[in-house]
Amino acid sequence: MSALEIVLVSLLGALIIFVAIYLFVVHTNAINRLEIFEEVNKNAKPGKIVFLGDSLTDFFPIQDFFPGVKIYNRGIAGDTTKDILKRIDNVVALQPRKLFLQIGTNDLAKASSPRKIINNVKKIVSTFKKEVLNIEIICLSLYPVSHTKKFLSPLIVGLRTNKKIQKTNELLVELCAAEGLKYLDFYTLLKDKKGRLDRHYTVEGLHISGKGYAVIAKALQSHL
């Protein structure tokens, strides 16, 4: 085996280990978050605001940006639309007056089509409309991504492309119009001149930096 082959095999092995550890951490975090939610729900007051989604919600320090407003963050890193449907009863139990929903980027990472994503979002919306009286549902667009970080971006961004994200957002706009929901466009707010997630707003091309969340929080303020 040549030196180059040894290096390539070593890199492949390291990548496999990295992916395995990442999946383990995501799975463990999801279980832990669900257990926390179950405990918090025991003393939670109905009629509050809930943010529901994946890591983009999970990592958003919403309550810190809005200390005067009671907000329940129900984001779990790694979640897809299917995962939300599986745990939706836990969120319905909060009986929120307002729900901010953003989900779908991890579906794209798993090669799901924009149409399938929106079909599942419709199921999520229908469940809340049925189970929570007079709820206001606000759908957040998916954020753009960027592949500018040469090493991290391919690993983290994966199969997500801005073309698929834009298509998903277009279908989400149609769904919101049909269901009478408010749609907030953060894709346009966070993109750079080339249509990518602005480097000032991201950690590695997918997740949002502190500066990015500050921009998002400012745009959300009038909708709380």
mmCIF file of all heavy atoms in Angstrom, residues 105 120 129 137 184:
data_model
loop_
_atom_site.group_PDB
_atom_site.id
_atom_site.type_symbol
_atom_site.label_atom_id
_atom_site.label_comp_id
_atom_site.label_asym_id
_atom_site.label_seq_id
_atom_site.Cartn_x
_atom_site.Cartn_y
_atom_site.Cartn_z
ATOM 1 N N THR A 105 -34.683 21.265 7.003
ATOM 2 C CA THR A 105 -33.316 21.234 6.477
ATOM 3 C C THR A 105 -32.669 19.864 6.630
ATOM 4 O O THR A 105 -31.910 19.426 5.764
ATOM 5 C CB THR A 105 -32.437 22.323 7.137
ATOM 6 O OG1 THR A 105 -31.180 22.388 6.457
ATOM 7 C CG2 THR A 105 -32.204 22.042 8.619
ATOM 8 N N ASN A 120 -45.376 16.875 4.975
ATOM 9 C CA ASN A 120 -45.266 16.606 6.410
ATOM 10 C C ASN A 120 -45.520 17.867 7.235
ATOM 11 O O ASN A 120 -46.118 17.804 8.310
ATOM 12 C CB ASN A 120 -43.891 16.028 6.746
ATOM 13 C CG ASN A 120 -43.774 14.561 6.396
ATOM 14 O OD1 ASN A 120 -44.777 13.865 6.236
ATOM 15 N ND2 ASN A 120 -42.558 14.072 6.267
ATOM 16 N N LYS A 129 -53.779 22.779 14.472
ATOM 17 C CA LYS A 129 -55.071 23.441 14.263
ATOM 18 C C LYS A 129 -56.208 22.641 14.895
ATOM 19 O O LYS A 129 -57.168 23.210 15.431
ATOM 20 C CB LYS A 129 -55.331 23.613 12.763
ATOM 21 C CG LYS A 129 -54.608 24.787 12.130
ATOM 22 C CD LYS A 129 -55.092 24.980 10.696
ATOM 23 C CE LYS A 129 -54.609 26.280 10.106
ATOM 24 N NZ LYS A 129 -55.147 26.502 8.745
ATOM 25 N N ILE A 137 -50.189 30.120 13.952
ATOM 26 C CA ILE A 137 -48.998 29.412 13.489
ATOM 27 C C ILE A 137 -48.225 30.291 12.517
ATOM 28 O O ILE A 137 -48.780 30.784 11.535
ATOM 29 C CB ILE A 137 -49.369 28.080 12.812
ATOM 30 C CG1 ILE A 137 -50.143 27.185 13.793
ATOM 31 C CG2 ILE A 137 -48.118 27.367 12.309
ATOM 32 C CD1 ILE A 137 -50.677 25.910 13.170
ATOM 33 N N LEU A 184 -42.602 33.957 7.353
ATOM 34 C CA LEU A 184 -41.503 34.900 7.553
ATOM 35 C C LEU A 184 -40.298 34.468 6.723
ATOM 36 O O LEU A 184 -39.796 33.350 6.879
ATOM 37 C CB LEU A 184 -41.124 34.972 9.035
ATOM 38 C CG LEU A 184 -42.228 35.421 10.002
ATOM 39 C CD1 LEU A 184 -41.681 35.501 11.422
ATOM 40 C CD2 LEU A 184 -42.816 36.761 9.576
#
